[in-house]
Amino acid sequence: MTSDTRRDAIADAATALDAASLDAFVREHHGRLVCLARLVCLDSSEAGDAVQAALEQAWRRRDSLRDAHALRAWLDRIVVREAIRQDRQRRSPLARLFGSPREIPVATVDRRAAAPHLSMALRLAFEGLPAAQRVVVALHLHYGYSVAQTAELVGAPIETVRSRLRVGRQQLRLALEDERQ
Amino acid sequence: MKRFDDALLDATVRDFLRVRAADTDGIRGADAMSAEIAQRALGLRRTGERAWSGRLVWVALLASLLLMAIWAVLVGGRRPPVVPLSVGNGVIAYAAEGSPSDIYLVRPGAAPRQIVGEGAGEGAVYSPAAACPTFSPNGTTLALGAIAGSFILVSVDPEGEVVGTRRLQTPGAESPHCASWAPDSASLAFLDGSALIIVPLEGPARRIDDWETAVASDAATFLIDYPPDRAVQWSRDGSMIAIARPSGTWLVPVKGGEARRLHDSPARTLSWAPDGTRLVVWTPAGSLVIRATDGTLVATLPPGNQPVWSPTGSRIAYVGAEASVYVVGPDGSDPRMVAGYGYDITWSPDGKEIMYIHDGCEGPTCVIGDTTFHGYALMSQAIDTQGAASGDPVIVAPMVRIASERSYPPAQSFSWQPVYR
C-alpha cells in the first residue's frame, strides 16, 4: 500500500466516522426541531428546509459550542433564525412575483362559515401573524421559554419580544372571540 | 360573546400549538436529511456536481440581480413616498391602496405607519382586513369596520401610538360597516340596509328596522350608494340620529319613539351645524340648509355636492363646479374655491384646515410640488378665517384608497383624530 493509498483510506475512514456521527446527530434532533420549525413555518416544505439548513449549520460549527448542555437551545436558535429567514425570503418581492401564492385569509371570506372549528380559526389567525410574532408565541407558550430566553433565542431585545407576544396574543384572542360568537 | 382572559387564551393556544407541532406530515425524514447534509458537509458529492452547483449559484445570483433591477424600475416607484406632514393637529387614519385591508396612521412630521394589512408586520393591530377608519369624537378610539359585521376598536394615544385593541360585535350583516360615533364616544351607529343599528361600547346593541315609515312607494332610489358614514350623523346632544335616505332626511330618536321626516327631497349625505340647529343636506335639488326642528329651508348653497359643516360653524365646504373644493357661508354667501379636484371633504378638528381626496391627475403619475405619486392622494389645505385658502395644499398621504370606485371597503377613506380628551 503506497502512502497515498494509505492516506486515502484513512480519510475515507474518517469520513465514514463523520458520516455515522452526523447521522446520529441528525436522528437525535430531527424530531424536536421539525416540530419547532412546523410552528414557525407556514408549510412543511419550508419547515423541512429550515431544519435541514439549521442541522447542517450546526454540524459545521459544532466545535464552536463550548457547553454541551447548551446544545438544545443553540439548535433551537439556529432553527428559529433559519425559519424566520426563510419566511422573509418568501415575502420578498421576487419570491412573491415568481413564487406560488399562498392562500391568505381575507375579509370577504366568512370565517365562521369557512372555519367551523375553533382550531381552524386559530390556525388562520396564527398563520396570519408575522413570523417574528409566531415564533415568540410558540417559544413562550409551547416550549416554555421565558421572555428573556425567547429574546436570546430570536436575537431581539426583551421589550421587543414582550411587544410581539402582546400583539400576537391580541390577534389570537380576537380570532377566538370572533369564533365564539 | 365569550371573553378570553389571559389564562384561558394561553391554555387554548397551547392546545392548538401542541396539535400543530405534532403535524409533521410532508417534512423530510431524518434519513433523507442526513444523506443530503452528508453530501454537502462531508464532500460526498462528486466534484463535477459541485462545480456545476457553483456555476448555477452564480447564474442564479446574476439573474436575481437583473430581475431585482427590473422590479425596482417597474414597481419600486409605486411605493408611497414618505411625506412629512404639516397639518395642524391630530393623527390621521386612512385606507391605502394595496390589499383591501391596508390601514395607516400618520401624524405631522412622521412617515405613515401601517397598522392593518399584510405589510403591517409587528405594527399590526388586526388582520386580515378592515375598512372605514373612523375616530371617536373624544379622539381616543379608532373604529375599523371588520369581518362578520364587527368593529375593531383601536385605542390610540395622542401621539398616535396604538395602546390596545378590542372587537365589538354587532347584529349587522357580515360585510364591514362604517361607524358613525355618538358625541359621547360611547356608541356607534350605522345603516344595515334600511335598518338602523346602534351599538353601545358596553351593553347590548339595538336594531331599529321600521323607522322609515310613511314612505311613498315611488320614493327615489340612487344609482350610486353614497358613503353611509356621511348619511348617518348623530346630533350634538346625542338624542337624535339624522339619516339621509332616498325617501328624504330623517331624524330618529335614539331612546325610542317615532322617526320624523324633516325634508322629503331625496338625500345623499348630510352634516349637522355645530350648534345643532341646522343641517346641510345634499339632494338632487342642490345642497340645502334646513332647520333641525321642522325642516324649514333656510338656504340653498351654490351648485355642488357633499357639503360638510366646519367645526366652527361659520363655513361649509363642498365639492363645486369642475370638482373643485369650495368653502361658503352657511347662508350661501361668499363662495371661494380653495382647492382643485377633490372630494370626500373633512374639516380638521379645529376648523382651520380641510382634507380631501385629490384625483386631478391624468395618467398614471401625479406630481404635486416636488412629490410624484400614483393614484389618489389625501391632501390638506389650510383655510383662513375668511374661508379662503391659505398657503399651498399639502400631501398628507399618496395612494389612498377611495370610496367611489370600489365595492369594498364600502366608504370612508380617512379620519382625522379629534383633539384628545
Side-chain angles (χ1 to χ4, degrees):
Chain A
M1 184 180 281
T2 66
S3 61
D4 283 350
T5 310
R6 191 178 303 117
R7 218 167 17 243
D8 286 348
I10 291 170
D12 286 349
T15 302
L17 271 177
D18 274 353
S21 302
L22 170 64
D23 190 54
F25 176 76
V26 170
R27 286 177 192 285
E28 181 182 351
H29 300 288
H30 175 272
R32 191 174 54 81
L33 295 182
V34 157
C35 291
L36 174 58
R38 185 72 187 89
L39 289 175
V40 183
C41 297
L42 292 177
D43 63 41
S44 51
S45 168
E46 276 182 21
D49 289 348
V51 171
Q52 185 169 314
L55 283 169
E56 185 176 335
Q57 275 186 49
W59 175 258
R60 287 180 189 277
R61 291 159 45 196
R62 63 192 184 281
D63 292 338
S64 67
L65 183 68
R66 293 179 182 173
D67 180 4
H69 298 293
L71 176 63
R72 176 180 160 156
W74 184 61
L75 280 171
D76 286 356
R77 182 167 63 218
I78 296 174
V79 167
V80 161
R81 294 182 183 185
E82 184 62 31
I84 292 175
R85 191 181 67 78
Q86 295 219 2
D87 186 78
R88 285 193 184 128
Q89 275 184 343
R90 182 176 56 77
R91 287 167 179 266
S92 71
L94 280 173
R96 277 192 282 185
L97 184 63
F98 297 110
S100 55
R102 184 174 67 82
E103 187 178 341
I104 295 171
V106 295
T108 48
V109 176
D110 179 1
R111 291 199 296 174
R112 285 182 297 179
H117 305 299
L118 190 65
S119 59
M120 181 63 81
L122 256 185
R123 185 178 73 81
L124 288 171
F126 186 73
E127 292 183 354
L129 297 178
Q133 283 174 17
R134 270 201 309 277
V135 74
V136 298
V137 169
L139 288 172
H140 184 64
L141 290 183
H142 182 65
Y143 285 92
Y145 284 115
S146 69
V147 171
Q149 289 169 327
T150 303
E152 170 65 22
L153 279 172
V154 301
I158 290 177
E159 285 312 311
T160 302
V161 168
R162 277 210 184 93
S163 167
R164 289 174 183 171
L165 200 53
R166 178 175 54 79
V167 174
R169 272 180 165 146
Q170 269 180 355
Q171 304 268 27
L172 300 179
R173 189 196 310 272
L174 283 173
L176 285 165
E177 289 176 354
D178 186 30
E179 185 66 17
R180 285 291 176 96
Q181 286 164 36
Chain B
M1 181 176 75
K2 177 161 186 172
R3 301 286 301 178
F4 279 80
D5 60 26
D6 285 346
L8 179 58
L9 175 72
D10 287 355
T12 309
V13 174
R14 280 195 184 99
D15 283 346
F16 160 75
L17 293 175
R18 195 176 305 122
V19 173
R20 183 183 172 95
D23 177 18
T24 57
D25 286 351
I27 301 181
R28 289 189 292 286
D31 289 345
M33 266 190 208
S34 178
E36 286 191 39
I37 295 171
Q39 279 187 335
R40 284 206 293 267
L42 303 179
L44 297 183
R45 185 168 289 184
R46 289 196 304 272
T47 309
E49 282 180 355
R50 275 200 288 186
W52 268 108
S53 299
R55 281 178 207 147
L56 282 173
V57 166
W58 278 108
V59 169
L61 187 62
L62 289 172
S64 299
L65 287 172
L66 182 63
L67 287 169
M68 284 172 75
I70 295 170
W71 174 260
V73 168
L74 292 178
V75 183
R78 291 187 65 82
R79 288 181 187 159
V82 173
V83 184
L85 286 178
S86 66
V87 292
N89 56 348
V91 175
I92 294 150
Y94 66 95
E97 283 189 1
S99 73
S101 56
D102 294 353
I103 306 283
Y104 286 75
L105 286 179
V106 64
R107 63 187 172 87
R113 190 158 46 88
Q114 189 176 354
I115 60 169
V116 172
E118 194 182 359
E122 290 178 31
V125 299
Y126 176 67
S127 67
C132 285
T134 312
F135 272 110
S136 61
N138 65 6
T140 63
T141 308
L142 178 67
L144 306 174
I147 57 172
S150 62
F151 288 106
I152 301 300
L153 303 180
V154 184
S155 299
V156 181
D157 72 11
E159 301 302 317
E161 294 300 320
V162 173
V163 294
T165 309
R166 61 172 280 210
R167 179 185 293 275
L168 182 67
Q169 189 56 42
T170 82
E174 298 291 334
S175 57
H177 300 286
C178 295
S180 176
W181 281 94
D184 63 0
S185 302
S187 299
L188 300 169
F190 62 94
L191 279 182
D192 182 24
S194 62
L196 175 64
I197 295 181
I198 301 172
V199 192
L201 301 196
E202 305 297 336
R206 280 196 300 136
R207 181 185 180 96
I208 307 172
D209 277 301
D210 301 319
W211 60 271
E212 199 175 11
T213 56
V215 176
S217 58
D218 59 350
T221 55
F222 297 141
L223 290 177
I224 301 172
D225 280 334
Y226 286 87
D229 50 293
R230 294 185 186 273
V232 179
Q233 297 284 315
W234 294 69
S235 63
R236 297 284 290 183
D237 63 4
S239 65
M240 297 277 183
I241 296 176
I243 303 177
R245 293 283 292 165
S247 59
T249 301
W250 293 79
L251 284 183
V252 180
V254 171
K255 292 188 175 173
E258 194 170 327
R260 188 158 50 95
R261 182 155 57 169
L262 272 185
H263 201 276
D264 58 6
S265 285
R268 289 173 168 139
T269 68
L270 51 76
S271 175
W272 284 91
D275 62 6
T277 60
R278 291 158 293 168
L279 288 150
V280 60
V281 185
W282 174 27
T283 77
S287 294
L288 312 177
V289 178
I290 59 175
R291 276 205 194 96
T293 48
D294 56 8
T296 304
L297 180 65
V298 177
T300 302
L301 302 186
N305 56 58
Q306 302 177 43
V308 187
W309 221 303
S310 76
T312 62
S314 62
R315 301 283 161 184
I316 293 172
Y318 66 98
V319 181
E322 296 181 348
S324 296
V325 180
Y326 285 77
V327 170
V328 67
D331 58 357
S333 64
D334 196 19
R336 294 169 186 247
M337 193 184 92
V338 296
Y341 300 107
Y343 58 91
D344 270 12
I345 308 163
T346 294
W347 286 89
S348 65
D350 62 5
K352 293 179 178 175
E353 294 171 61
I354 57 165
M355 203 155 51
Y356 58 95
I357 304 290
H358 173 89
D359 69 344
C361 295
E362 294 181 0
T365 302
C366 193
V367 180
I368 295 180
D370 56 359
T371 302
T372 302
F373 61 91
H374 302 263
Y376 302 87
L378 186 56
M379 307 287 294
S380 173
Q381 172 67 59
I383 306 294
D384 67 19
T385 52
Q386 304 303 310
S390 173
D392 293 326
V394 173
I395 300 174
V396 176
M399 294 177 67
V400 295
R401 181 172 290 276
I402 60 164
S404 59
E405 287 187 2
R406 63 179 184 221
S407 58
Y408 176 85
Q412 186 84 18
S413 301
F414 60 90
S415 181
W416 209 321
Q417 184 183 35
V419 177
Y420 205 89
R421 63 177 192 268

